[in-house]
Amino acid sequence: MAMKDYSDEFKADAVALYESTPGATYKSIAADLGINRATLREWVLRDRERRGVTAAGVKLAAAHRAAASADPDERVRRLEARVAELEASERKLATERDILRKAAKYFRRDELVMSRFQFVDDHRATFGVKRLCQVLGVNRSSYYKWLAGAEARAIRQREDLVLAEQIRRVHGESGGAYGSPRVTAELREEGRRVNEKRVARIMRTSSISGIRLRRRVRTTVPDPASGQVADLFGRDFTATEPGRKLMGDITYLPLQGGKFLYLATVLDCFSRKVVGWSIAGHMRTDLVSDALRMAASARGSLDGAVFHSDHGAQYGSRAYAGLCDQLKVTRSMGAVGTSADNAACESFHASLKRETLQGAHDYGDATTCRRTVFAWLTRYNTRRRHSANGHLSPDAYERQHHAAKLTLAA
């Protein structure tokens, strides 16, 4: 469901994302954010008017950026890249010459049987199949079976090459985040009948894979006063309807120079949709309160919902308890020091940083960090496939649920 009211923070981040994305269109950015194209255009034009920037000024700035890219340093970098490419090509040719000189080793006993069959086929006119099979220690009937399947193997290899290109495209469009299950789901939705094991095999042989995340920073500081809140989840992070069970947590966002921003999120257990979030340079109660207010705006009302968190001081504060009472939200908390009681949020934040940092140690400056995380959060809701939703995005999963309810009601 679309958010009814957008916060000033959301509008500012949306405009910044559009203005900073090369070649961006209102349609493409609006689709990622899950908003109307005309709404985004209105925000951008209003922001430009506030800053006194005209359309001609935007075009002039783009021209300056293009001219800057043609400076001498840029040309030197391009030449260095070309030299590196030629050196790599030379190393490749040298390796190929070395392989050809050592080609006789491909029929050693520790090589693949298929390589021995190929050697027999290449030299059968000179030595005869029977003699070659005896020397190489392979069965003649196996060789003839291999020979009969040559056409089928060639067809499979050609199909694998085509599939590999499709996998690279889907993997690239996901920002390098998707593994074989999500890639398979994406290809199937496009009408391609494909087996997940085959996709996994091709990704493995083509060196297409995800990226691992490093280091952790402690963001949960227990508050003794929060111990009176009961655990109403019992590690059950599922729900039968949207807006009934919510969960939240705080995670750090590393910046250059050892600094941090902090992100508070509110997830809906039904679809794993991020219904609320807030980014700040502190971990005060306002951080988690702003995220919950955004969730209330996104859902229209949180009346009767249960919100689950860890025992962080922010979630146990009187101010946060008062906000929950105001929104008619019942609080729930897991055991102290047990991350498994909030595992779904932990997993979500791990995915966010794995897919946005992509192996880097930090996001750079605060502006880049905020823009990168904002773009990922909105795309997560509108496009990113989630295994808990049968590999549908959270928005698509909720639309499917609402359509099913309407069908039953009819």
Side-chain angles (χ1 to χ4, degrees):
M1 296 174 62
M3 188 185 300
K4 294 183 177 180
D5 297 309
Y6 298 94
S7 66
D8 292 339
E9 180 183 4
F10 185 96
K11 294 176 183 178
D13 286 336
V15 171
L17 177 63
Y18 172 80
E19 296 285 22
S20 65
T21 304
T25 63
Y26 290 121
K27 182 178 180 180
S28 64
I29 297 298
D32 278 347
L33 300 181
I35 63 178
N36 186 276
R37 172 189 175 279
T39 300
L40 176 61
R41 182 176 181 274
E42 180 184 350
W43 293 348
V44 172
L45 294 179
R46 191 182 302 162
D47 180 75
R48 288 177 180 174
E49 182 179 356
R50 180 184 58 79
R51 292 185 287 116
V53 178
T54 63
V58 173
K59 292 181 179 179
L60 182 61
H64 286 321
R65 287 195 297 270
S69 66
D71 64 4
D73 290 340
E74 179 63 19
R75 289 198 295 273
V76 169
R77 284 193 291 270
R78 291 178 180 175
L79 288 173
E80 289 176 343
R82 180 57 179 164
V83 169
E85 180 181 350
L86 292 174
E87 289 177 345
S89 178
E90 176 60 26
R91 288 194 298 271
K92 180 180 178 183
L93 290 173
T95 301
E96 290 176 351
R97 288 194 297 269
D98 187 54
I99 291 173
L100 289 174
R101 285 195 297 268
K102 300 176 180 180
K105 294 183 179 180
Y106 76 88
F107 57 84
R108 296 186 312 180
R109 276 191 283 179
D110 58 343
E111 295 295 331
L112 294 173
V113 173
M114 187 176 295
S115 298
R116 302 184 195 181
F117 288 158
Q118 188 64 60
F119 183 82
V120 171
D121 198 52
D122 292 342
H123 298 83
R124 63 179 181 174
T126 304
F127 301 103
V129 172
K130 181 178 180 179
R131 180 60 178 164
L132 287 169
C133 287
Q134 289 175 341
V135 172
L136 298 177
V138 298
N139 191 290
R140 272 190 293 170
S141 63
S142 298
Y143 162 72
Y144 286 118
K145 185 176 179 180
W146 173 86
L147 191 62
E151 183 177 352
R153 282 196 305 278
I155 293 174
R156 283 197 300 272
Q157 288 173 355
R158 289 194 295 269
E159 291 175 346
D160 282 356
L161 289 174
V162 173
L163 181 56
E165 288 305 311
Q166 294 174 336
I167 290 172
R168 287 192 183 92
R169 173 181 56 79
V170 172
H171 186 260
E173 290 174 353
S174 73
Y178 282 4
S180 59
R182 290 190 176 94
V183 169
T184 303
E186 190 77 28
L187 292 173
R188 286 175 178 171
E189 186 169 289
E190 294 175 1
R192 179 69 187 263
R193 297 182 62 182
V194 64
N195 184 279
E196 183 185 332
K197 290 183 179 179
R198 184 183 180 194
V199 172
R201 172 177 58 79
I202 294 176
M203 291 183 69
R204 185 169 56 253
T205 57
S206 302
S207 299
I208 304 173
S209 62
I211 302 171
R212 296 290 183 268
L213 185 66
R214 302 184 185 92
R215 69 177 182 152
R216 294 173 60 87
V217 170
R218 187 184 183 199
T219 54
T220 302
V221 180
D223 182 354
S226 65
Q228 57 188 339
V229 179
D231 182 358
L232 304 179
F233 269 37
R235 301 187 183 180
D236 178 9
F237 304 109
T238 62
T240 57
E241 290 287 336
R244 309 319 303 159
K245 292 174 67 176
L246 308 173
M247 51 189 172
D249 200 2
I250 302 174
T251 191
Y252 73 97
L253 302 173
L255 306 179
Q256 60 189 7
K259 299 180 179 179
F260 298 96
L261 288 180
Y262 298 94
L263 168 68
T265 53
V266 178
L267 305 182
D268 194 307
C269 292
F270 174 75
S271 62
R272 296 297 197 272
K273 180 173 182 174
V274 195
V275 291
W277 70 80
S278 181
I279 302 174
H282 61 78
M283 288 199 299
R284 297 190 293 272
T285 302
D286 287 347
L287 179 69
V288 295
S289 296
D290 288 346
L292 190 62
R293 289 191 184 96
M294 180 180 177
S297 177
R299 287 307 190 197
S301 172
L302 297 181
D303 190 351
V306 177
F307 177 82
H308 184 80
S309 69
D310 58 26
H311 279 260
Q314 303 85 353
Y315 295 111
S317 67
R318 290 182 180 179
Y320 192 75
L323 177 62
C324 289
D325 291 340
Q326 177 186 337
L327 297 175
K328 299 181 180 180
V329 173
T330 302
R331 290 189 298 157
S332 168
M333 287 187 176
V336 177
T338 305
S339 61
D341 286 351
N342 208 20
C345 279
E346 297 274 353
S347 175
F348 170 79
H349 287 153
S351 295
L352 182 153
K353 285 187 277 190
R354 180 175 63 249
E355 296 176 17
T356 54
L357 283 171
Q358 298 192 0
H361 291 282
D362 59 65
Y363 291 96
D365 59 80
T367 300
T368 301
C369 174
R370 175 181 285 274
R371 187 178 302 143
T372 301
V373 173
F374 173 77
W376 188 91
L377 289 171
T378 52
R379 184 183 176 87
Y380 171 91
N381 283 340
T382 58
R383 298 192 178 187
R384 187 184 182 279
R385 297 178 182 274
H386 201 295
S387 57
N389 298 339
H391 293 300
L392 293 175
S393 70
D395 280 356
Y397 188 69
E398 291 194 2
R399 285 195 299 269
Q400 183 186 76
H401 173 73
H402 292 311
K405 286 185 66 177
L406 290 175
T407 300
L408 288 175

